[in-house]
Amino acid sequence: MNGAALESRLMASLAELRGRLKAEAPLKDLTWFRAGGPAEVLYSPADEADLAYFLRETSSGIPVTVIGLGSNLLVRDGGIEGVVIRLGRGFGEIKIEEGSRLRVGTAVPDVKVASAAADAGISGLSFYRGIPGCVGGALRMNGGAHGRETKEVLVEARAVDRKGNVHVLPLAELHYAYRHCGAPEDFIFTEALFHGEPGEPAAILAEMEDIAAYREQVQPIKSRTGGSTFKNPPGHKAWQLIDAAGCRGLAVGDARVSEMHCNFLINEGNATGADLEELGETVCARVKESSGVELEWEIKRLGVPA
Ligand SMILES: Cc1cc2nc3c(=O)[nH]c(=O)nc-3n(C[C@H](O)[C@H](O)[C@H](O)COP(=O)(O)OP(=O)(O)OC[C@H]3O[C@@H](n4cnc5c(N)ncnc54)[C@H](O)[C@@H]3O)c2cc1C
């Protein structure tokens, strides 16, 4: 990895770039786990046009990875090669539209989508109160909670591909399934159009408060965690399988299976990406041994080992 060389090469070839580039940027501070290595180069686009320019003018040989608020990421200790893209202020707009709709930039935190919908008297989006990511992550993960998921409230999404072409994708073209989006891997979402139903702001806010209170009781939301580590296998709850396999409280270094919710892994101090990944793999192996069920990671593991 030579971030400084890649950064200079990019600067020299992208005269019209308005966003920021940073070599060897630590990603620890940008993920909930607070673990893992740096981005070879971190790029914060100014807006969608700047992002499209970057993607169009750079060689497809340079790997590109987009991250949101890092609440579903395990970054390995050797960091992420190539360019990591993190959307910021230029993707932060929320517009209320006719017919109980919200047009939202993908850097907007899910919690703000819920609040803006409540303020505008739009019900049906309160579940976002409980998901600590941003809209880009929700679109890619089909984020959901409390009986609803992103695909139920989405009208369409805008995305830019690796060549810099902008696409508007209606819901059907996103091929959603449980915690899965079928849009091409290289698509970077820039905007979402959500719909809800007319509702009473006070009632929606009360529903959001209930969601927040419930979360505090059942999830270690103040810890350094990546949320649910594994998807629920068909017909099972991942946490029950993990509990039955005797993994509650299991540790590797400073990485531990949460005592409170055993599908959550916690960084209790200085856990490395390798500690967290080894712990997850150990849980998988023990669950397979005790129940025969193969767990699938929900958390996205990115980058290379140290
Ligand atoms: C305490 C806690 C509780 C959680 N509870 C829930 C829950 O109830 N329900 C739930 O679904 N999830 C939950 N999660 C997981 C996580 O919050 C969701 O998966 C969330 O949608 C991830 O969003 P993010 O912005 O953090 O994305 P990141 O974690 O940064 O990235 C996740 C994936 O999205 C991709 N991505 C991010 N932005 C874009 C973009 N603009 N375009 C294309 N791809 C993009 C990344 O490449 C990566 O593959 C929880 C996590 C924590 C820590």
Side-chain angles (χ1 to χ4, degrees):
M1 227 186 234
N2 187 344
L6 178 58
E7 184 191 22
S8 316
R9 227 171 84 208
L10 290 168
M11 298 261 256
S13 62
L14 298 168
E16 290 164 33
L17 197 74
R18 290 172 291 117
R20 275 175 293 127
L21 297 172
K22 188 175 175 201
E24 308 288 346
L27 292 175
K28 250 187 182 174
D29 306 336
L30 301 181
T31 66
W32 267 60
F33 269 134
R34 298 275 181 270
E40 190 169 2
V41 168
L42 181 68
Y43 165 48
S44 316
D47 52 29
E48 188 189 81
D50 191 53
L51 172 65
Y53 168 74
F54 175 93
L55 293 166
R56 199 168 50 242
E57 299 297 325
T58 52
S59 150
S60 58
I62 299 174
V64 158
T65 307
V66 62
I67 63 169
L69 292 181
S71 62
N72 198 53
L73 294 183
L74 200 174
V75 177
R76 297 193 174 102
D77 303 310
I80 302 180
E81 285 170 342
V83 177
V84 172
I85 300 180
R86 190 168 192 266
L87 309 182
R89 231 175 299 162
F91 302 81
E93 237 191 321
I94 303 181
K95 279 186 263 171
I96 309 297
E97 297 191 354
E98 293 270 303
S100 299
R101 290 179 166 199
L102 284 93
R103 194 173 289 278
V104 186
T106 46
V108 174
D110 297 344
V111 176
K112 280 203 176 169
V113 175
S115 310
D119 291 347
I122 300 173
S123 75
L125 294 148
S126 311
F127 70 99
Y128 280 134
R129 172 64 185 85
I131 307 181
C134 62
V135 169
L139 292 177
R140 178 53 75 186
M141 297 304 303
N142 187 19
H146 307 277
R148 295 213 97 175
E149 50 189 3
T150 296
K151 71 172 182 162
E152 292 167 61
V153 293
L154 189 70
V155 178
E156 64 183 31
R158 245 175 111 90
V160 187
D161 68 21
R162 182 64 187 88
K163 292 188 173 139
N165 304 307
V166 176
H167 304 258
V168 178
L169 299 132
L171 177 63
E173 284 179 28
L174 292 157
H175 307 291
Y176 277 120
Y178 166 57
R179 299 296 176 266
H180 172 82
C181 170
E185 285 295 323
D186 64 314
F187 277 30
I188 298 179
F189 294 113
T190 55
E191 191 183 85
L193 179 63
F194 293 116
H195 70 90
E197 299 86 40
E200 203 38 63
I204 303 167
L205 284 169
E207 196 183 323
M208 284 167 59
E209 273 170 31
D210 288 348
I211 287 173
Y214 173 76
R215 294 242 155 196
E216 269 198 44
Q217 268 174 23
V218 301
Q219 291 184 352
I221 52 170
K222 295 200 170 117
S223 305
R224 300 166 174 193
T225 178
S228 292
T229 312
F230 303 104
K231 296 184 184 182
N232 287 322
H236 297 277
K237 294 250 183 254
W239 76 263
Q240 282 172 345
L241 296 169
I242 295 167
D243 206 12
C247 296
R248 191 182 284 268
L250 188 73
V252 171
D254 272 351
R256 185 179 293 279
V257 175
S258 165
E259 296 276 357
M260 189 184 206
H261 188 317
C262 58
N263 195 20
F264 279 45
L265 305 184
I266 309 281
N267 175 1
E268 292 192 318
N270 295 311
T272 60
D275 293 335
L276 289 157
E277 190 165 16
E278 187 187 328
L279 180 60
E281 289 297 344
T282 306
V283 168
C284 273
R286 292 204 186 172
V287 166
K288 173 90 175 123
E289 205 180 292
S290 77
S291 65
V293 178
E294 222 154 296
L295 290 177
E296 187 191 337
W297 284 81
E298 177 171 328
I299 286 178
K300 300 282 185 191
R301 292 168 293 166
L302 301 177
V304 293

